[in-house]
Amino acid sequence: MHADKIAVLFFLGLTLLLSGCPDSSTTVDDQGASVSDFDWQMPDWVPLPVEPAYNPITEEKFQLGRHLFYDTDLSANGTISCASCHQQDKAFTDGVARPAGATGDIHPRNSQSLANAAWLRTLTWGNPTLTELEQQIVIPLFGIDPIEHGISEANQNQVLARLQAKPAYQRLFLSAYPDQTEPLFNELAWRNIIHALASFVRGMTSFNSDFDRYTAGDSQALSAAARRGMNLFNSERLECFHCHEGYTLTSSVRDRRRVPNIPAPFNNTGLYNIDGISAYPAPNTGKHELTGQARDMGLFRPQSLRNVALTAPYNHDGSVATLREVILNYAAGGRHLTHGPYAGDGRMNANKDPFIVSFSITEDEISDVIAFLESLTDHAFITHPRYANPWQDDASQDPIP
Ligand code: HEC
Ligand code: HEC
């Protein structure tokens, strides 16, 4: 577990800062529709996401968060930004199995897409306790195992000073936090940064794929292959839909109409079984990292499959190169690794979810399932200026208006 290795006192101080008085207020009607004027860029048929009362989204916080997200000055040595590992053209992933942080530490996990993160019940691949973006974002900024942005108690003032020196932030912080005097200089500065980053990520919505057009009633929006693939995906033979369901394509979902009162889902898909004892390679043991319970070994959150054609390589450690391989692992009822340090037969993993059972599938059917997964790509999302880098080439300049 990485969060507990953050310098404890500093982290506690930040956690206290996260909650507290709301920045401003939003009202929600019974149908889950928000009367805030934030432009969610999403169709009516999708219910709005839950947001914490202490950080209601506003366009001004979203825009400030966007500038911070793309700013390498928000790291200890000025080399890394959120966008280093979360790149728009790859649906906010980075194309590598496991990314490097500011000082070269390799993260044990694969970078996740941020599309529709606002609807997820828990954040990151295997942590049941991270339920709000505001909590999660502390980890890349201040985590020390691995180091991502590398900000610490020792260098935090230096990092802040770099942000404070930028003219663009004077205006952006004031409009995001109009009730505060000097929101980039006062004791809430870090809280303000985290709230703005969370607002930007919360506002990253992706509902503009061929699949969405089909769902909204355009029967021509999906090719015949994608429609066949969708039927396979939703079949009792393949079982995919049990865990990758609904408008988010994951069972880990909550919204303003429905906050499920059952535990958030985590499943073992039989990727490893080292030495035949159901072990996954440390430190990537999933929910088990936090609980230490044998029954939680290898349990990970079902990933949303939106934009999945752009987010290779796959799985929590990026150890699966292609969608075809992902499907073959499922068809085998798990992954059988015959050599290497993690050799073992994942198909025999004792923690494997009952829905992960072998099935027969032809090459044509695999192509159809892939055509369906490709229909989940939202081309508008990955090119939309709203989510793009707002800075000129030199981040010390004023942003593009
Ligand atoms: C060094 C690469 C790297 C950097 C820099 C980075 N991230 Fe991530 N991000 C990751 C990885 C890897 C994960 C999965 C973490 C895990 O499972 O423990 C992740 C997960 C997330 C998630 C959870 C998504 C989900 O589906 O649950 C959010 C939100 C997120 N990052 C936002 C940010 C923000 C905001 C920043 C900038 C402050 C940032 N990240 C910087 C690599 C990075
Ligand atoms: C029992 C629940 C369950 C079922 C059934 C299931 N999945 Fe998954 N899926 C998961 C979980 C959990 C993960 C993450 C596992 C990991 O990385 O360790 C995942 C990961 C994936 C990924 C990788 C996503 C990424 O961003 O890396 C793809 C693609 C995928 N599943 C597609 C499918 C398809 C296609 C089917 C049907 C053949 C299917 N899944 C069936 C739970 C499930």
Side-chain angles (χ1 to χ4, degrees):
M1 166 59 196
H2 319 301
D4 60 4
K5 305 221 179 106
I6 291 172
V8 176
L9 282 177
F10 186 44
F11 180 64
L12 275 181
L14 275 168
T15 313
L16 290 175
L17 281 178
L18 288 180
S19 46
C21 297
D23 301 324
S24 62
S25 61
T26 318
T27 327
V28 175
D29 73 21
D30 324 347
Q31 297 306 304
S34 170
V35 298
S36 85
D37 44 12
F38 182 75
D39 180 2
W40 285 98
Q41 304 260 335
M42 55 183 245
D44 299 345
W45 54 271
V46 177
L48 283 171
V50 178
E51 60 179 20
Y54 62 80
N55 188 23
I57 198 163
T58 63
E59 182 63 19
E60 291 76 14
K61 277 190 268 182
F62 174 91
Q63 290 298 344
L64 169 60
R66 177 175 159 220
H67 286 78
L68 293 163
F69 188 91
Y70 283 99
D71 191 347
T72 52
D73 278 334
L74 182 59
S75 65
N77 57 12
T79 60
I80 215 170
S81 73
C82 310
S84 306
C85 304
H86 299 288
Q87 301 163 14
Q88 186 182 16
D89 63 338
K90 300 182 184 72
F92 293 97
T93 61
D94 55 11
V96 300
R98 297 176 302 126
T103 56
D105 271 11
I106 301 295
H107 201 298
R109 299 265 175 84
N110 181 246
S111 299
Q112 291 175 298
S113 167
L114 304 182
N116 301 343
W119 281 267
L120 294 165
R121 289 192 62 192
T122 63
L123 296 159
T124 73
W125 285 97
N127 190 329
T129 68
L130 288 175
T131 56
E132 277 171 11
L133 289 164
E134 286 76 359
Q135 299 171 295
Q136 195 281 326
I137 286 167
V138 173
I139 298 174
L141 292 175
F142 301 99
I144 59 170
D145 184 19
I147 289 180
E148 295 176 74
H149 290 240
I151 304 171
S152 66
E153 201 162 6
N155 63 31
Q156 57 155 325
N157 288 331
Q158 203 188 323
V159 174
L160 265 187
R162 270 193 248 131
L163 305 184
Q164 288 162 347
K166 291 188 176 183
Y169 281 133
Q170 313 304 323
R171 173 179 58 80
L172 288 161
F173 272 83
L174 276 174
S175 53
Y177 302 104
D179 304 341
Q180 293 177 31
T181 48
E182 308 215 89
L184 180 54
F185 294 83
N186 66 22
E187 71 288 358
L188 296 178
W190 281 111
R191 190 204 73 149
N192 292 341
I193 288 168
I194 291 162
H195 282 198
L197 283 166
S199 300
F200 178 56
V201 174
R202 193 166 279 129
M204 284 187 187
T205 56
S206 172
F207 295 102
N208 220 332
S209 65
D210 289 345
F211 167 75
D212 293 300
R213 280 182 278 283
Y214 181 85
T215 308
D218 176 359
S219 58
Q220 300 306 304
L222 289 188
S223 67
R227 283 202 303 273
R228 288 193 301 270
M230 182 173 65
N231 291 337
L232 286 164
F233 187 90
N234 291 322
S235 71
E236 298 292 345
R237 168 154 57 110
L238 269 63
E239 313 276 18
C240 317
F241 68 102
H242 293 289
C243 308
H244 302 286
E245 64 181 61
Y247 62 87
T248 55
L249 280 297
T250 167
S251 55
S252 182
V253 56
R254 59 177 184 178
D255 58 45
R256 292 206 201 159
R257 289 189 191 154
R258 197 173 68 104
V259 177
N261 61 1
I262 49 168
F266 289 89
N267 319 104
N268 177 313
T269 60
L271 284 178
Y272 295 97
N273 186 4
I274 303 169
D275 297 331
I277 51 165
S278 299
Y280 269 46
N284 272 335
T285 59
K287 190 175 169 187
H288 166 268
E289 284 164 55
L290 206 86
T291 66
Q293 301 279 342
R295 64 167 184 270
D296 293 332
M297 175 60 81
L299 265 61
F300 288 88
R301 188 193 72 194
Q303 192 70 355
S304 166
L305 301 184
R306 282 192 171 270
N307 302 299
V308 74
L310 304 172
T311 69
Y314 298 107
N315 288 113
H316 64 269
D317 54 1
S319 63
V320 179
T322 62
L323 287 172
R324 184 170 180 279
E325 271 181 63
V326 171
I327 295 168
L328 289 173
N329 286 339
Y330 281 118
R335 177 170 63 175
H336 189 189
L337 287 173
T338 49
H339 52 272
Y342 308 136
D345 193 348
R347 299 172 300 182
M348 309 298 282
N349 191 304
N351 281 343
K352 211 179 66 168
D353 189 277
F355 282 123
I356 307 296
V357 277
S358 60
F359 52 83
S360 62
I361 188 165
T362 66
E363 283 298 332
D364 284 349
E365 288 174 325
I366 292 176
S367 304
D368 289 345
V369 174
I370 293 174
F372 169 64
L373 295 174
E374 285 169 346
S375 82
L376 303 172
T377 300
D378 179 346
H379 295 280
F381 176 67
I382 59 166
T383 53
H384 204 305
R386 192 169 166 73
Y387 310 115
N389 187 348
W391 300 98
Q392 311 267 18
D393 294 347
D394 175 357
S396 67
Q397 300 302 304
D398 262 1
I400 300 160

